[in-house]
Every structure is written in C-alpha cells, then in structure tokens.
Amino acid sequence: MSVTRFPLTLRVTVSGATPDEIRENARAQALNFFGPDAELDVISADAEAEGEHHNRYRAAVVFRRIA
C-alpha cells in the first residue's frame, strides 16, 4: 500500500533586526509553503549574528504543520 500523506517539516532561513521581525519573516515563508490557513508548530529555532552586519541576525526555523 502506498502512503501519500506523511509528516513534513520545513526549514527556513531568515534575517531580521529583532526577534519579532525574524518570527514574522519565518512564519510568512512557512505559510506560503503550507498554505495561508495552516496551523504551524515550531520544532526548533536558532539565531546568530550576521557577522559584519551590526544589529542583524540570521535564524534557521523548522516548522511542522499541525494535523
């Protein structure tokens, strides 16, 4: 039997100056992928300074759609 539905995670990398900006940028990408009405769960999120750019941060966020 073929399985056509299985859990899928999405990893996005975004930049921003504040935690709120990072959250909104990541959420927008996840909703674009999963659909605008999707309920999402954050599996992990890691942020780090963008090196030469002061006050800018890069984050990798992993989302999963809630069934």
mmCIF file of all heavy atoms in Angstrom, residues 8-11 26-27 30-31 34 38-45 61-67:
data_model
loop_
_atom_site.group_PDB
_atom_site.id
_atom_site.type_symbol
_atom_site.label_atom_id
_atom_site.label_comp_id
_atom_site.label_asym_id
_atom_site.label_seq_id
_atom_site.Cartn_x
_atom_site.Cartn_y
_atom_site.Cartn_z
ATOM 1 N N LEU A 8 5.669 16.291 7.334
ATOM 2 C CA LEU A 8 6.693 17.007 6.586
ATOM 3 C C LEU A 8 7.112 18.225 7.393
ATOM 4 O O LEU A 8 6.268 18.942 7.935
ATOM 5 C CB LEU A 8 6.122 17.443 5.237
ATOM 6 C CG LEU A 8 7.058 18.096 4.248
ATOM 7 C CD1 LEU A 8 8.124 17.100 3.792
ATOM 8 C CD2 LEU A 8 6.280 18.591 3.050
ATOM 9 N N THR A 9 8.413 18.440 7.511
ATOM 10 C CA THR A 9 8.901 19.646 8.169
ATOM 11 C C THR A 9 9.493 20.571 7.118
ATOM 12 O O THR A 9 9.912 20.135 6.044
ATOM 13 C CB THR A 9 9.972 19.331 9.240
ATOM 14 O OG1 THR A 9 11.070 18.675 8.627
ATOM 15 C CG2 THR A 9 9.405 18.475 10.356
ATOM 16 N N LEU A 10 9.504 21.848 7.434
ATOM 17 C CA LEU A 10 10.072 22.867 6.547
ATOM 18 C C LEU A 10 11.081 23.676 7.338
ATOM 19 O O LEU A 10 10.779 24.181 8.422
ATOM 20 C CB LEU A 10 8.960 23.790 6.026
ATOM 21 C CG LEU A 10 9.440 25.012 5.240
ATOM 22 C CD1 LEU A 10 10.025 24.580 3.890
ATOM 23 C CD2 LEU A 10 8.311 26.009 5.051
ATOM 24 N N ARG A 11 12.286 23.798 6.796
ATOM 25 C CA ARG A 11 13.335 24.611 7.416
ATOM 26 C C ARG A 11 13.492 25.873 6.582
ATOM 27 O O ARG A 11 13.717 25.793 5.378
ATOM 28 C CB ARG A 11 14.645 23.840 7.464
ATOM 29 C CG ARG A 11 15.767 24.622 8.062
ATOM 30 C CD ARG A 11 17.083 23.852 7.914
ATOM 31 N NE ARG A 11 18.044 24.379 8.833
ATOM 32 C CZ ARG A 11 18.389 23.832 9.984
ATOM 33 N NH1 ARG A 11 17.881 22.688 10.337
ATOM 34 N NH2 ARG A 11 19.264 24.404 10.772
ATOM 35 N N ALA A 26 9.856 34.334 9.123
ATOM 36 C CA ALA A 26 9.836 32.872 9.070
ATOM 37 C C ALA A 26 8.414 32.359 8.907
ATOM 38 O O ALA A 26 8.147 31.462 8.098
ATOM 39 C CB ALA A 26 10.473 32.296 10.342
ATOM 40 N N ARG A 27 7.477 32.918 9.663
ATOM 41 C CA ARG A 27 6.083 32.495 9.587
ATOM 42 C C ARG A 27 5.511 32.732 8.187
ATOM 43 O O ARG A 27 4.781 31.886 7.660
ATOM 44 C CB ARG A 27 5.258 33.255 10.631
ATOM 45 C CG ARG A 27 3.829 32.848 10.701
ATOM 46 C CD ARG A 27 3.128 33.589 11.851
ATOM 47 N NE ARG A 27 1.729 33.285 11.853
ATOM 48 C CZ ARG A 27 0.818 33.930 11.140
ATOM 49 N NH1 ARG A 27 1.170 34.926 10.371
ATOM 50 N NH2 ARG A 27 -0.454 33.579 11.193
ATOM 51 N N ALA A 30 6.699 29.984 5.919
ATOM 52 C CA ALA A 30 6.055 28.711 6.236
ATOM 53 C C ALA A 30 4.610 28.688 5.739
ATOM 54 O O ALA A 30 4.151 27.689 5.182
ATOM 55 C CB ALA A 30 6.118 28.444 7.733
ATOM 56 N N LEU A 31 3.885 29.786 5.915
ATOM 57 C CA LEU A 31 2.504 29.846 5.442
ATOM 58 C C LEU A 31 2.440 29.826 3.917
ATOM 59 O O LEU A 31 1.492 29.279 3.346
ATOM 60 C CB LEU A 31 1.803 31.084 5.998
ATOM 61 C CG LEU A 31 1.515 31.031 7.499
ATOM 62 C CD1 LEU A 31 0.953 32.370 7.978
ATOM 63 C CD2 LEU A 31 0.571 29.887 7.846
ATOM 64 N N PHE A 34 2.973 25.895 3.362
ATOM 65 C CA PHE A 34 1.936 25.002 3.864
ATOM 66 C C PHE A 34 0.515 25.464 3.533
ATOM 67 O O PHE A 34 -0.414 24.682 3.588
ATOM 68 C CB PHE A 34 2.052 24.837 5.383
ATOM 69 C CG PHE A 34 3.202 23.976 5.811
ATOM 70 C CD1 PHE A 34 4.269 24.511 6.511
ATOM 71 C CD2 PHE A 34 3.220 22.616 5.538
ATOM 72 C CE1 PHE A 34 5.327 23.715 6.932
ATOM 73 C CE2 PHE A 34 4.275 21.807 5.948
ATOM 74 C CZ PHE A 34 5.327 22.366 6.648
ATOM 75 N N ALA A 38 -2.884 27.277 7.439
ATOM 76 C CA ALA A 38 -2.240 26.181 8.162
ATOM 77 C C ALA A 38 -1.940 26.571 9.606
ATOM 78 O O ALA A 38 -1.548 27.699 9.899
ATOM 79 C CB ALA A 38 -0.941 25.775 7.467
ATOM 80 N N GLU A 39 -2.145 25.612 10.504
ATOM 81 C CA GLU A 39 -1.707 25.770 11.882
ATOM 82 C C GLU A 39 -0.315 25.159 11.967
ATOM 83 O O GLU A 39 -0.111 24.023 11.539
ATOM 84 C CB GLU A 39 -2.652 25.053 12.831
ATOM 85 C CG GLU A 39 -4.018 25.688 12.925
ATOM 86 C CD GLU A 39 -4.867 24.994 13.963
ATOM 87 O OE1 GLU A 39 -4.458 24.983 15.140
ATOM 88 O OE2 GLU A 39 -5.910 24.456 13.575
ATOM 89 N N LEU A 40 0.626 25.923 12.506
ATOM 90 C CA LEU A 40 2.023 25.501 12.495
ATOM 91 C C LEU A 40 2.574 25.319 13.892
ATOM 92 O O LEU A 40 2.183 26.015 14.829
ATOM 93 C CB LEU A 40 2.864 26.544 11.758
ATOM 94 C CG LEU A 40 2.437 26.846 10.328
ATOM 95 C CD1 LEU A 40 3.212 28.035 9.798
ATOM 96 C CD2 LEU A 40 2.611 25.636 9.457
ATOM 97 N N ASP A 41 3.506 24.397 14.006
ATOM 98 C CA ASP A 41 4.250 24.170 15.231
ATOM 99 C C ASP A 41 5.718 24.410 14.913
ATOM 100 O O ASP A 41 6.211 23.965 13.869
ATOM 101 C CB ASP A 41 4.038 22.732 15.703
ATOM 102 C CG ASP A 41 4.546 22.484 17.110
ATOM 103 O OD1 ASP A 41 4.771 23.476 17.846
ATOM 104 O OD2 ASP A 41 4.705 21.320 17.479
ATOM 105 N N VAL A 42 6.427 25.117 15.775
ATOM 106 C CA VAL A 42 7.860 25.339 15.595
ATOM 107 C C VAL A 42 8.605 24.205 16.290
ATOM 108 O O VAL A 42 8.457 23.996 17.488
ATOM 109 C CB VAL A 42 8.301 26.705 16.146
ATOM 110 C CG1 VAL A 42 9.811 26.859 16.062
ATOM 111 C CG2 VAL A 42 7.602 27.829 15.409
ATOM 112 N N ILE A 43 9.390 23.478 15.522
ATOM 113 C CA ILE A 43 10.175 22.367 16.049
ATOM 114 C C ILE A 43 11.469 22.885 16.681
ATOM 115 O O ILE A 43 11.872 22.461 17.749
ATOM 116 C CB ILE A 43 10.514 21.350 14.935
ATOM 117 C CG1 ILE A 43 9.242 20.868 14.245
ATOM 118 C CG2 ILE A 43 11.329 20.196 15.472
ATOM 119 C CD1 ILE A 43 8.247 20.211 15.147
ATOM 120 N N SER A 44 12.128 23.811 15.992
ATOM 121 C CA SER A 44 13.344 24.412 16.530
ATOM 122 C C SER A 44 13.581 25.762 15.867
ATOM 123 O O SER A 44 13.075 26.028 14.781
ATOM 124 C CB SER A 44 14.562 23.510 16.305
ATOM 125 O OG SER A 44 14.856 23.418 14.933
ATOM 126 N N ALA A 45 14.343 26.591 16.553
ATOM 127 C CA ALA A 45 14.703 27.902 16.019
ATOM 128 C C ALA A 45 16.046 28.305 16.623
ATOM 129 O O ALA A 45 16.195 28.318 17.846
ATOM 130 C CB ALA A 45 13.635 28.932 16.349
ATOM 131 N N VAL A 61 14.685 28.265 11.207
ATOM 132 C CA VAL A 61 13.481 27.874 11.938
ATOM 133 C C VAL A 61 12.879 26.648 11.233
ATOM 134 O O VAL A 61 12.747 26.642 10.015
ATOM 135 C CB VAL A 61 12.459 29.015 11.981
ATOM 136 C CG1 VAL A 61 11.257 28.639 12.823
ATOM 137 C CG2 VAL A 61 13.095 30.304 12.511
ATOM 138 N N VAL A 62 12.531 25.635 12.017
ATOM 139 C CA VAL A 62 11.930 24.429 11.468
ATOM 140 C C VAL A 62 10.473 24.371 11.906
ATOM 141 O O VAL A 62 10.178 24.413 13.100
ATOM 142 C CB VAL A 62 12.691 23.160 11.914
ATOM 143 C CG1 VAL A 62 12.038 21.910 11.346
ATOM 144 C CG2 VAL A 62 14.155 23.236 11.497
ATOM 145 N N PHE A 63 9.588 24.270 10.908
ATOM 146 C CA PHE A 63 8.144 24.220 11.147
ATOM 147 C C PHE A 63 7.595 22.848 10.791
ATOM 148 O O PHE A 63 8.119 22.169 9.929
ATOM 149 C CB PHE A 63 7.407 25.223 10.246
ATOM 150 C CG PHE A 63 7.642 26.655 10.586
ATOM 151 C CD1 PHE A 63 8.659 27.371 9.970
ATOM 152 C CD2 PHE A 63 6.829 27.309 11.498
ATOM 153 C CE1 PHE A 63 8.861 28.699 10.260
ATOM 154 C CE2 PHE A 63 7.031 28.646 11.794
ATOM 155 C CZ PHE A 63 8.043 29.347 11.168
ATOM 156 N N ARG A 64 6.480 22.512 11.439
ATOM 157 C CA ARG A 64 5.698 21.342 11.062
ATOM 158 C C ARG A 64 4.229 21.760 11.107
ATOM 159 O O ARG A 64 3.811 22.480 12.007
ATOM 160 C CB ARG A 64 5.942 20.189 12.014
ATOM 161 C CG ARG A 64 5.083 18.963 11.701
ATOM 162 C CD ARG A 64 5.364 17.793 12.607
ATOM 163 N NE ARG A 64 5.228 18.189 14.001
ATOM 164 C CZ ARG A 64 5.943 17.688 14.990
ATOM 165 N NH1 ARG A 64 6.851 16.770 14.761
ATOM 166 N NH2 ARG A 64 5.765 18.096 16.223
ATOM 167 N N ARG A 65 3.474 21.293 10.141
ATOM 168 C CA ARG A 65 2.044 21.587 10.108
ATOM 169 C C ARG A 65 1.346 20.702 11.136
ATOM 170 O O ARG A 65 1.603 19.508 11.236
ATOM 171 C CB ARG A 65 1.468 21.313 8.728
ATOM 172 C CG ARG A 65 0.025 21.677 8.620
ATOM 173 C CD ARG A 65 -0.474 21.439 7.230
ATOM 174 N NE ARG A 65 -1.793 22.044 7.118
ATOM 175 C CZ ARG A 65 -2.355 22.392 5.999
ATOM 176 N NH1 ARG A 65 -1.743 22.169 4.862
ATOM 177 N NH2 ARG A 65 -3.540 22.926 5.992
ATOM 178 N N ILE A 66 0.459 21.309 11.921
ATOM 179 C CA ILE A 66 -0.340 20.564 12.886
ATOM 180 C C ILE A 66 -1.479 19.901 12.134
ATOM 181 O O ILE A 66 -2.179 20.545 11.345
ATOM 182 C CB ILE A 66 -0.881 21.486 13.985
ATOM 183 C CG1 ILE A 66 0.283 22.121 14.744
ATOM 184 C CG2 ILE A 66 -1.816 20.727 14.919
ATOM 185 C CD1 ILE A 66 -0.126 23.159 15.749
ATOM 186 N N ALA A 67 -1.654 18.597 12.365
ATOM 187 C CA ALA A 67 -2.693 17.837 11.659
ATOM 188 C C ALA A 67 -4.019 18.379 12.015
ATOM 189 O O ALA A 67 -4.813 18.943 11.631
ATOM 190 C CB ALA A 67 -2.652 16.365 12.031
#
